[in-house]
């Protein structure tokens, strides 16, 4: 009877061991996600650069960091850029209390330059890359 219990015990032990090795092995060879996500609040699209500048000054006065990029002949103003979206969503209450309408956006890219710029928090470079992407570059 003890021999039968020992065989069953070792069979279960080895089964668990090989299952763990199998799972860990696949986790190591599975490629990591190459998509970089960036969330932002889009404040507006302006044909007149002076209007875009006024909005950006107003956002700066509210301690929000505005960014802009060109697409065709339009200036797009965004703020509250973040990788996880928490800061972006938190800043939405400030925008609403100041009377600003916004569109919550998430940008995804597989571009390594975009990923590097986001990692380094170089949002001016991110805006430049988004502008180039809008031109089809």
């Amino acid at each position: 009877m003890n021999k039968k219990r020992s065989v069953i015990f070792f069979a279960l032990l080895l089964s668990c061991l090989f299952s763990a090795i199998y799972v860990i092995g696949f986790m190591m060879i599975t490629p990591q996600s190459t998509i970089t996500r960036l969330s932002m609040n889009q404040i507006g699209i302006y044909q007149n650069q002076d209007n875009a500048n006024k909005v950006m000054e107003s956002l700066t006065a509210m301690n929000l960091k505005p960014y802009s990029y060109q697409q065709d002949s339009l200036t797009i103003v965004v703020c509250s850029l973040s990788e996880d979206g928490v800061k972006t969503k938190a800043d939405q209450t400030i925008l609403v209390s100041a009377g600003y309408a916004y569109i919550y956006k998430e940008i995804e890219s597989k571009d390594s330059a975009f990923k590097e710029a986001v990692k380094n928090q170089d949002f001016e470079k991110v805006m430049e890359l988004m502008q180039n992407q809008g031109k089809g570059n």
Side-chain angles (χ1 to χ4, degrees):
M1 194 62 142
N2 279 339
K3 193 174 188 181
K4 188 176 183 181
R5 284 185 188 174
S6 297
V7 169
I8 292 173
F9 172 76
F10 282 113
L12 289 173
L13 181 68
L14 289 174
S15 177
C16 291
L17 179 68
F18 287 124
S19 296
I21 291 170
Y22 182 78
V23 169
I24 291 171
F26 272 108
M27 286 175 41
M28 289 182 164
I29 63 171
T30 303
Q32 299 296 323
S33 176
T34 58
I35 296 175
T36 302
R37 288 183 181 82
L38 183 67
S39 62
M40 65 185 76
N41 293 318
Q42 181 178 310
I43 306 304
I45 301 174
Y46 301 93
Q47 192 165 14
N48 185 332
Q49 185 64 43
D50 292 335
N51 292 340
N53 291 339
K54 288 177 188 175
V55 169
M56 290 179 70
E57 289 172 10
S58 176
L59 292 170
T60 302
M62 294 187 297
N63 293 324
L64 298 174
K65 179 75 174 151
Y67 297 93
S68 67
Y69 63 98
Q70 300 291 320
Q71 194 167 12
D72 298 324
S73 63
L74 304 172
T75 302
I76 301 170
V77 177
V78 298
C79 69
S80 310
L81 280 71
S82 71
E83 292 179 70
D84 60 5
V86 173
K87 179 185 176 350
T88 305
K89 291 181 180 179
D91 287 349
Q92 290 174 353
T93 57
I94 298 170
L95 292 169
V96 169
S97 66
Y100 278 100
Y102 61 86
I103 299 173
Y104 177 79
K105 287 190 157 192
E106 287 187 354
I107 306 296
E108 294 182 347
S109 179
K110 292 183 179 181
D111 184 26
S112 61
F114 185 86
K115 183 175 187 171
E116 188 68 25
V118 170
K119 179 181 170 189
N120 295 332
Q121 301 288 305
D122 185 0
F123 293 124
E124 284 82 12
K125 179 72 174 172
V126 170
M127 292 295 112
E128 180 184 320
L129 292 168
M130 288 173 58
Q131 182 173 333
N132 291 340
Q133 187 177 24
K135 292 179 181 174
N137 295 338

